[in-house]
Amino acid sequence: MTAEAEQLAGRILKGERRALSRAVTLVESTRADHRAAATALLEVLRKHKRQALRIGLSGPPGVGKSTFVEAFGMMLVKAGVRIAVLAVDPSSARSGGSILGDKTRMDRLSRVASAFIRPSPSMRHPGGVSRRTREAVALCEAAGFDVVLIETVGVGQSETMVAGMCDLFVLLLAPAGGDELQGVKRGIMESADLILVNKADGDLKPAATRTLADYAGALRLLRKRPQDPKGFPKALPISALELHGLDQAWAEMQALAAWRKAKGHWNVRRAGQAIHWFEEEVRAGLLARLKDDARVKRTMAAHGAAVAAEKISPDAAAAEMLAWLKG
Ligand code: GDP
């Protein structure tokens, strides 16, 4: 490890935000020398074994995620809890912007010295997003944050990815007309520890109460897990705008985290996630290696042509290809 990296590690451990920013930029880089430096840096920081509460937050566009994160973050800051917010935006490549690109988002929180907010990199290298996010989480933990909130828009696979790297998963929903419940993917409902029905205020209050009852019922049907204390997963009404229910939401998150820690589920969950990401990395690495290999490319193309010309079935060609790879 270079002296420069050593110094960067020291500054991160002291909680310097600028050093943290630089390190996040480093882990986002795809340059080989940066990658090597990032890996070395993370190894040094890992030895300090600092842990934050990792909260995953997902919800459809417009549900009030940024309003919630700002209000929730400000509440934590006032209570002396240091929070880092990482946003994962699966659509940034398409829209050309980041979900934090809008300057008005989390305006107050971003100016608080003890908080850290970081938009995600674009999706130009989709395979790398989860690794970069995980590494950014690790950096925030090393920098001494108490809470790392990983926010994502509830579309595509990003929410599954985020659910797979957090200690608690929170789903933010809005009051809905009858059929909207079906719009939430089952897998995500199953991952949710806490459903917060936002906008439970003003004219929306009655709809919020109905939605809450629907989701609470759906949650009870969907899941009963030994790693949940009684009453979890839970659905709560909140108003990020009028600041209602945020303290209760935080109390529930803390209660669940404490319970999981006490029962050992916390470590089991983290260990399971670590194995999962290890296997994913190996898989992605193998695929990348295959894709870059000229001989593999030629053989794939030849088999592809034979399949297209109906000389061989897709399955038989795949079996031949796999046998060739093995041999
Ligand atoms: P995001 O796309 O999920 O990040 O949603 P935003 O935080 O940008 O909020 C979308 C819209 O919902 C904005 O106009 C907010 O002012 C509004 N909003 C957010 N939270 C609440 C709330 O608790 N109550 C009401 N009535 N509106 C809210």
Side-chain angles (χ1 to χ4, degrees):
M1 184 140 152
T2 63
E4 198 190 345
E6 200 90 55
Q7 202 202 11
L8 186 60
R11 288 177 55 208
I12 291 168
L13 289 165
K14 278 193 224 136
E16 282 183 36
R17 280 204 308 182
R18 276 183 56 200
L20 177 59
S21 273
R22 266 193 55 202
V24 176
T25 306
L26 189 67
V27 302
E28 283 170 2
S29 171
T30 48
R31 250 175 62 180
D33 56 334
H34 287 169
R35 188 93 287 277
T39 306
L41 176 67
L42 286 160
E43 271 309 300
V44 170
L45 296 176
R46 213 167 61 86
K47 297 203 174 82
H48 293 265
K49 295 192 184 302
R50 290 189 180 163
Q51 278 196 347
L53 172 60
R54 304 175 186 168
I55 302 172
L57 176 77
S58 185
V63 72
K65 285 181 300 302
S66 54
T67 311
F68 170 79
V69 173
E70 165 113 330
F72 186 72
M74 289 305 290
M75 181 186 79
L76 293 195
V77 164
K78 280 191 195 123
V81 179
R82 297 184 69 214
I83 178 170
V85 179
L86 301 170
V88 181
D89 178 10
S91 59
S92 59
R94 260 179 292 137
S95 66
S98 158
I99 52 174
L100 288 182
D102 177 357
K103 279 224 168 55
T104 59
R105 289 188 106 236
M106 301 174 211
D107 199 26
R108 280 188 307 148
L109 189 60
S110 61
R111 279 188 267 123
V112 173
S114 62
F116 178 80
I117 300 187
R118 182 80 180 201
S120 74
S122 79
M123 277 288 274
R124 266 175 302 141
H125 307 280
V129 171
S130 69
R131 180 172 67 206
R132 292 198 298 259
T133 307
R134 275 181 284 128
E135 289 177 342
V137 170
L139 290 171
C140 292
E141 290 190 310
F145 285 94
D146 304 302
V147 169
V148 179
L149 197 140
I150 314 153
E151 180 205 342
T152 188
V153 185
V155 290
Q157 291 174 342
S158 66
E159 49 197 1
T160 313
M161 182 190 99
V162 168
M165 63 175 73
C166 61
D167 303 311
L168 299 179
F169 188 65
V170 178
L171 190 56
L172 200 62
L173 297 168
D179 56 349
E180 216 152 309
L181 184 62
Q182 292 160 11
V184 182
K185 277 173 271 146
R186 191 191 163 100
I188 286 312
M189 284 286 282
E190 279 169 347
S191 304
D193 296 302
L194 206 55
I195 289 184
L196 302 177
V197 178
N198 192 31
K199 309 193 184 183
D201 52 41
D203 296 347
L204 290 168
K205 222 171 178 171
T209 308
R210 270 199 313 278
T211 306
L212 193 73
D214 286 350
Y215 283 117
L219 280 179
R220 273 193 297 276
L221 285 178
L222 267 177
R223 193 173 82 172
K224 272 215 166 49
R225 300 196 315 193
Q227 59 267 52
D228 293 331
K230 206 166 172 287
F232 279 94
K234 240 176 220 182
L236 297 177
I238 63 161
S239 168
L241 208 58
E242 295 188 355
L243 309 180
H244 288 151
L246 301 183
D247 45 355
Q248 200 198 340
W250 175 229
E252 300 288 0
M253 291 178 208
Q254 285 177 290
L256 182 58
W259 195 89
R260 283 189 179 158
K261 269 191 177 154
K263 302 276 177 189
H265 296 309
W266 174 289
N267 286 337
V268 169
R269 181 176 168 117
R270 282 208 173 192
Q273 290 175 343
I275 291 174
H276 170 77
W277 294 118
F278 157 69
E279 289 175 355
E280 279 296 303
E281 281 295 313
V282 171
R283 205 169 325 196
L286 278 175
L287 284 177
R289 211 178 272 184
L290 286 177
K291 255 173 64 188
D292 295 344
D293 187 290
R295 270 179 68 223
V296 173
K297 265 194 224 164
R298 272 199 308 276
T299 316
M300 279 292 277
H303 279 76
V307 169
E310 294 185 10
K311 287 185 185 140
I312 185 169
S313 77
D315 302 276
E320 266 185 24
M321 187 70 210
L322 289 172
W324 179 83
L325 279 171
K326 219 170 158 192

